[in-house]
Amino acid sequence: MTPSVTVRAAAKVNLHLGVGRLRADGYHPLATVYQTLSVHDDVTVSTSARWNVDLVCEDDIDRASFPTGEDNIVVRAGRLLAAQHGVDRAAEITVRKSIPIAGGLAGGSADAAAALVALDRLWDLQTSDEDLLRLAGQLGSDVPFALVGGTAVGLGRGEIVTRMQDEATRWWVVVPSMVGLSTPAVYHHFDELSPDAPAKVAVPEELVAALADPDNRVLASVLRNDLEPAAIDLRPELGELIEVGERAGALRGIISGSGPTCLFLCSDRGAADRVRTTLLDAGHPRVIIALGPVSGTHVVEYN
Ligand code: C5P
């Protein structure tokens, strides 16, 4: 049997997404707090002479938006890792996807982080954590957090990650949208709506204090996403969805990252079940109960 390695990586929500004024390099300064959710993709890699990417998913994932060729982020991750070690390798990669595509849940970033770790193990490269984090940062702003997982602050353009304590269980209801939103388009609209955005942003003390409190009502009161007005302006139905979920008993509804996935923080499992039922009855085809935080990227199978 061809040797293979399977690595799991989780979706994320931004508990806080503070966005500053556009930088000269085309990125925005961020002060964000990420949390992993129990919605994950599994990435399996095996030795091959040529790069190939396959997608395995249910019908509710937008298969057409998944690049199967060389421009898929998992192949970029593999090429970057091979170049780092000066080796000429390729691999067969299968992505088992549950994280919505272009949903603001960093699904592509999770796949990239999983591919880095899986190929490092498959090729026995023993890349240091420091190098993995650096390569992850080159692949995308959210990729270093996908490696680390849990709850963490992200600074710079989101790639400078520091872990935080969060012992509590946070109950989320996740409502993906069938049509993705482009991250650059949402940031661009943010620029139009917020010409006075500050050059520097910071994580508020209230959020750090709320994470030390297991009561989800406390966390709900401080959730904030600076990209939300831009995402709702582009997709007004997201604002209506947030209202429906909050009326159904969620403590707070927010858009994750650049959207369009909406997340509802709930007081406990029972409340999350009730919100889910209401949203399914309202015609949303996919409504997922997830908890956070969960582990970062980790190996689940060696063959
Ligand atoms: O880093 P990543 O490739 O995920 O970013 C995708 C796009 O999102 C960037 O090209 C940029 O338009 C926008 N972005 C940004 N500021 C950030 C992160 C992302 O403007 N801090």
Side-chain angles (χ1 to χ4, degrees), residues 183-256:
T183 301
V186 175
Y187 272 105
H188 180 67
H189 198 44
F190 167 87
D191 294 336
E192 292 171 339
L193 294 181
S194 318
D196 300 326
K200 284 195 177 146
V201 281
V203 171
E205 276 310 311
E206 302 86 75
L207 183 75
V208 178
L211 282 170
D213 193 325
D215 187 339
N216 284 336
R217 280 172 303 187
V218 177
L219 180 59
S221 69
V222 295
L223 296 172
R224 178 175 141 181
N225 178 358
D226 286 353
L227 292 180
E228 193 164 292
I232 291 179
D233 211 39
L234 292 171
R235 295 276 284 275
E237 70 272 23
L238 299 177
E240 290 153 28
L241 168 58
I242 288 175
E243 278 176 26
V244 173
E246 290 183 345
R247 273 204 305 274
L251 299 170
R252 264 297 285 289
I254 52 163
I255 287 174
S256 182

Side-chain angles (χ1 to χ4, degrees), residues 17 24 34 40 74-75 78 102 109 123 147 150 169 179 182 208-209 228 240 260 270:
L17 182 51
Y34 298 107
H40 59 254
V74 295
V75 176
S109 302
W123 297 336
L147 283 176
T169 300
V179 182
S182 145
V208 178
E228 193 164 292
E240 290 153 28

Side-chain angles (χ1 to χ4, degrees), residues 40-155:
H40 59 254
D41 289 354
D42 282 344
V43 174
T44 301
V45 298
S46 58
T47 312
S48 170
R50 285 189 310 115
W51 289 106
N52 187 46
V53 186
D54 282 323
L55 173 66
V56 177
C57 64
E58 300 288 335
D59 289 345
D60 50 16
I61 297 278
D62 178 17
R63 178 175 278 280
S65 301
F66 184 83
T68 46
E70 297 265 328
D71 49 349
N72 191 292
I73 195 166
V74 295
V75 176
R76 290 201 279 122
R79 288 193 183 284
L80 196 62
L81 184 68
Q84 159 80 11
H85 293 274
V87 295
D88 183 17
R89 305 266 170 88
E92 170 85 33
I93 304 181
T94 303
V95 179
R96 281 189 181 72
K97 184 159 268 307
S98 301
I99 307 174
I101 296 173
L105 298 174
S109 302
D111 298 346
L116 277 179
V117 171
L119 291 168
D120 176 67
R121 303 296 189 275
L122 182 76
W123 297 336
D124 193 22
L125 297 171
Q126 304 189 23
T127 315
S128 67
D129 287 353
E130 198 189 339
D131 282 344
L132 279 177
L133 283 167
R134 189 175 45 73
L135 298 176
Q138 289 175 32
L139 289 163
S141 308
D142 296 336
V143 184
F145 171 68
L147 283 176
V148 170
T151 304
V153 173
L155 299 176

